[in-house]
């Protein structure tokens, strides 16, 4: 049997009952040269029966059963080891694809020839609206040339998702890439894949839609926590330190790390009230430890948050945040109380 162009690795987590929609969007693709590997471990959120049902009905879908609850990272590793396609695409159950997504990816690959990584855009569906993905700026300015990471350092400023890019499967295997334990396991893996890529291409169109408000994957491995994020970025900087030719990547990776820490810190339900001081101090320590020489902070409110984190004072950070919230509430109230303009 000939190998397909794309192997989709999809852990069968279905906590939000969205796996069926994801699978149907894959099966509706106008481009048919792909396979789907549904990985079902023993986690309670996994729908093994649904995976088996789709595998029985569709010849390009297979179910891979694991005999323990291993989490997203190891499930992806197992699926990648089973894959036969030229390129790997790692999805989650809350992703859907437009019917022409694979057609667009195949057309881009026909233009570029074989690449190690092909990055593409995504949107987030929340509150009845579509929101642009976090890599929109980097993809929009990257251009059409196929280049290595030395010429594309700005791509390391994009969110390190595993599901907004195709990975060359042979290169993935040659580099012995694998998702580590813990949450945010995609961070060092996709960044290493970019660091060691010889040919990187970009497709500046949205090929995946994320149907949750925030880009956090469903679950980590057993015993994982949001504090795992610090270890994942430590791995990323260790990889970068071993590649002196990629020094231009450092400020972009640093900004991405700090943005990621601030995002998780501010996101309701991630870091508990009791854990917030410790999380802040870990983030501040990484700011000091990994700050590039001559670094320029972002402008505006984001730059202020960078500055407060660099200062290392959790109380000052919270006071500034409360002050901003209070100013926003006053502004909103003033807008509601302002007399309407005369008609005509």
């Amino acid at each position: 049997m000939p190998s397909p162009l794309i192997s989709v690795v999809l852990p069968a987590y279905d906590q939000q009952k969205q796996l069926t929609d994801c699978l149907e969007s894959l099966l509706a693709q106008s481009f048919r040269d792909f396979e789907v590997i549904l990985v079902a471990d023993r986690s309670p959120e996994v729908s093994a029966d649904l995976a088996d049902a789709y595998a029985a009905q569709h010849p390009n879908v297979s179910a891979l059963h694991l005999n323990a609850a291993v989490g997203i990272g190891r499930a992806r590793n197992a699926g990648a080891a089973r894959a036969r396609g030229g390129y790997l695409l790692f999805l989650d159950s809350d992703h859907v694809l437009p019917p022409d997504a694979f057609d667009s990816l195949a057309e881009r690959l026909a233009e570029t020839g074989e690449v190690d990584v092909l990055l593409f855009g995504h949107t987030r569906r929340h509150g009845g609206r579509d929101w642009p993905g976090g890599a929109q700026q980097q993809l929009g300015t990257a251009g059409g040339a196929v280049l290595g990471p030395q010429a594309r350092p700005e791509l390391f400023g994009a969110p390190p998702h595993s599901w907004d890019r195709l990975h060359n499967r042979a290169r993935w295997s040659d580099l012995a890439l694998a998702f580590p334990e813990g949450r945010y396991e995609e961070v060092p893996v996709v960044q290493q894949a970019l660091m060691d890529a010889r040919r990187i291409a970009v497709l500046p169109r949205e090929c995946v839609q994320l149907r949750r408000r925030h880009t956090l994957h469903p679950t980590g491995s057993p015993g994982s926590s949001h504090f795992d994020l610090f270890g994942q970025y430590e791995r990323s900087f260790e990889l970068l330190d071993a590649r002196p030719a990629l020094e231009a990547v450092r400020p972009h990776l640093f900004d991405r790390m700090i943005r990621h820490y601030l995002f998780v810190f501010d996101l309701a339900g991630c870091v508990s009230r009791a854990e917030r001081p410790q999380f802040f101090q870990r983030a501040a320590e990484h700011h000091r430890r990994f700050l590039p020489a001559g670094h320029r902070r972002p402008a505006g409110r984001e730059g202020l948050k960078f500055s407060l984190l660099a200062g290392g004072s959790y109380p000052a950070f919270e006071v500034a945040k409360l002050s901003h919230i209070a100013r926003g509430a006053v502004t909103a109230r003033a807008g509601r109380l302002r007399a309407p303009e005369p008609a005509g």
Side-chain angles (χ1 to χ4, degrees):
M1 180 183 298
S3 299
L5 180 66
I6 299 171
S7 290
V8 179
V9 177
L10 177 57
Y13 287 77
D14 199 22
Q15 189 172 10
Q16 305 300 323
K17 306 303 178 186
Q18 296 174 312
L19 181 57
T20 296
D21 290 343
C22 178
L23 287 166
E24 290 299 323
S25 77
L26 288 167
L27 294 170
Q29 292 297 304
S30 52
F31 180 86
R32 306 302 301 171
D33 190 18
F34 69 92
E35 66 172 348
V36 180
I37 303 168
L38 282 164
V39 186
D41 73 358
R42 295 294 184 88
S43 301
E45 302 89 354
V46 164
S47 181
D49 291 342
L50 183 62
D52 287 337
Y54 269 87
Q57 295 171 19
H58 303 280
N60 59 337
V61 178
S62 62
L64 172 59
H65 292 270
L66 307 180
N67 60 8
V70 298
I72 290 285
R74 289 176 61 186
R76 287 173 175 158
N77 292 338
R82 169 73 67 90
R84 301 181 299 111
Y87 292 89
L88 297 168
L89 174 59
F90 298 99
L91 294 180
D92 294 325
S93 61
D94 51 8
H95 295 135
V96 293
L97 286 70
D100 64 342
F102 284 177
D103 259 327
S104 295
L105 293 170
E107 289 172 5
R108 181 63 175 137
L109 290 171
E111 294 171 355
T112 63
E114 186 174 359
V115 298
D116 295 325
V117 182
L118 171 60
L119 293 98
F120 52 83
H122 73 275
T123 59
R124 293 183 292 117
R125 185 72 175 173
H126 172 68
R129 292 181 56 189
D130 291 344
W131 303 83
Q136 185 181 50
Q137 177 182 352
Q138 289 86 356
L139 297 181
T141 59
V146 179
L147 301 168
Q150 296 92 337
R152 290 275 178 83
E154 71 280 359
L155 293 178
F156 290 83
H161 302 313
S162 60
W163 40 263
D164 62 355
R165 60 201 71 197
L166 293 180
H167 292 278
N168 185 295
R169 186 172 65 85
R171 185 63 172 165
W172 183 275
S173 178
D174 289 345
L175 295 172
L177 292 172
F179 294 95
E181 295 288 331
R183 286 185 181 268
Y184 309 101
E185 76 293 325
E186 68 273 20
V187 170
V189 178
V190 301
Q191 288 171 345
Q192 182 182 351
L194 276 182
M195 290 178 196
D196 291 339
R198 300 157 300 189
R199 289 170 52 82
I200 301 170
V202 166
L203 176 63
R205 68 147 286 183
E206 292 73 28
C207 294
V208 171
Q209 183 175 87
L210 174 72
R211 295 186 304 154
R212 60 181 182 266
R213 181 175 181 182
H214 299 295
T215 50
L216 296 175
H217 66 62
T219 186
S221 55
S224 63
S225 83
H226 291 291
F227 283 82
D228 296 341
L229 185 58
F230 299 108
Q232 307 297 15
Y233 274 100
E234 287 175 354
R235 290 186 177 94
S236 294
F237 275 96
E238 287 172 2
L239 292 165
L240 183 58
D241 289 342
R243 293 158 175 79
L246 296 180
E247 191 59 26
V249 165
R250 191 172 300 274
H252 299 281
L253 182 59
F254 177 83
D255 283 349
R256 171 44 49 195
M257 176 185 73
I258 298 302
R259 288 187 173 110
H260 207 160
Y261 291 170
L262 292 171
F263 171 78
V264 172
F265 184 72
D266 285 339
L267 183 58
C270 279
V271 184
S272 70
R273 181 181 296 274
E275 294 172 328
R276 286 176 67 80
Q278 181 187 358
F279 191 96
F280 181 90
Q281 293 303 328
R282 289 284 300 276
E285 189 274 328
H286 272 198
H287 189 293
R288 293 189 298 270
R289 178 176 167 188
F290 296 115
L291 179 68
H295 177 260
R296 298 180 64 180
R297 293 180 186 132
R301 179 169 176 259
E302 184 181 44
L304 175 61
K305 295 172 76 173
F306 271 57
S307 179
L308 290 166
L309 183 63
S313 173
Y314 172 68
F317 187 94
E318 292 289 41
V319 167
K321 179 181 177 181
L322 291 173
S323 297
H324 174 80
I325 293 172
R327 286 195 301 271
V330 169
T331 302
R333 184 170 182 270
R336 291 194 299 269
L337 294 178
R338 186 179 301 119
E341 295 290 335

